[in-house]
């Protein structure tokens, strides 16, 4: 693992590469963002945005999602994976919002995580993007690049990755860093084909070095 100082230097390089990184899920309010993040599990943001354009015109409130039969909601979101489960969670979440939170998205981690389909990552994204609260959500991209770069251990779970990043990165940068790490993973250090040959972190990246050595052996 690299030192905290080195880890922050790496995060700084990534920040320079993607200074304008931001949430790519299209939404107009905290409720829409929560639905979009819930829908985005194991699906790309592009697919979710295609889906939510007509979805958010049809369903604007928790009551709207509860006013239709589950099969109709399933049909409206069937273009994305796990749609049956997601439809069930959207209706459960909508019911909880009406029962416990006056129909609004709550503003604390614990309350958010009490909602169906909302785990720590989703709660962090909503806290950060919708309410501007410092949070550093760890998704598949953030986890992968943190481990490849040696900021975290390969065996760390997502909570350990989050804790380590929060220790390394100053609190006032958590929200921006979250998006910058996602952009780095989505557009540069891709899961299958990372762009190691043009990566400014290549010299100090254990994964990049490993891949380079393996390519020399193959040659
Ligand atoms: S060197 Fe390769 S694996 Fe390492 S961060 Fe850069 S693109 Fe990712």
């Amino acid at each position: 693992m690299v030192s905290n100082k080195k880890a922050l230097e790496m995060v700084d390089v990534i920040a320079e590469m993607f200074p304008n990184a931001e949430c790519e899920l299209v939404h107009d309010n905290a409720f829409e963002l929560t639905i979009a993040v819930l829908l985005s599990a194991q699906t790309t943001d592009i697919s979710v945005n295609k889906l939510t354009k007509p979805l958010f015109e049809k369903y604007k409130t928790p009551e709207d999602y509860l006013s239709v039969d589950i099969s109709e909601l399933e049909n409206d979101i069937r273009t994305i994976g796990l749609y049956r489960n997601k439809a069930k969670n959207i209706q459960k979440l909508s019911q909880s919002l009406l029962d416990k939170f006056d129909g609004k998205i709550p503003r604390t981690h614990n309350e958010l995580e009490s909602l169906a389909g909302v785990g720590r990552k989703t709660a962090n994204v909503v806290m950060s993007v919708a309410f501007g609260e410092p949070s550093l959500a760890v998704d598949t991209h953030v986890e992968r690049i943190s481990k490849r770069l040696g900021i975290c251990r390969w065996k760390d779970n997502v909570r350990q990755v989050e804790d380590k990043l929060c220790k390394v990165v100053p609190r006032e940068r958590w929200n921006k860093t979250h998006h910058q790490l996602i952009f780095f993973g989505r557009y540069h250090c891709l899961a299958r084909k990372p762009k190691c040959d043009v990566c400014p972190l290549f010299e100090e990246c254990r994964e990049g070095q490993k891949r380079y050595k393996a390519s020399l052996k193959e040659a």
Side-chain angles (χ1 to χ4, degrees), residues 148-149 184 188-189 194-196 199 201-202 205 207-208 211:
R148 281 181 172 174
L149 287 167
F184 185 75
H188 179 87
C189 187
K195 300 176 181 173
C196 304
C199 184
L201 293 168
F202 172 72
C205 173
E207 176 72 12
R211 285 171 180 260

Side-chain angles (χ1 to χ4, degrees), residues 4 8 11 120 124 134-138 142 146 151-152 158-175 177 181:
N4 287 359
L8 183 56
V11 171
R120 187 167 178 85
N124 272 337
S135 292
L136 219 163
V138 175
V142 176
S146 299
I151 295 173
C152 301
V158 284
R159 186 57 201 265
Q160 287 171 312
V161 174
E162 180 185 330
D163 289 346
K164 182 64 192 285
L165 286 170
C166 287
K167 199 169 163 191
V168 163
V169 179
R171 187 178 164 83
E172 65 275 13
R173 286 178 54 185
W174 288 356
N175 289 355
T177 297
L181 296 180

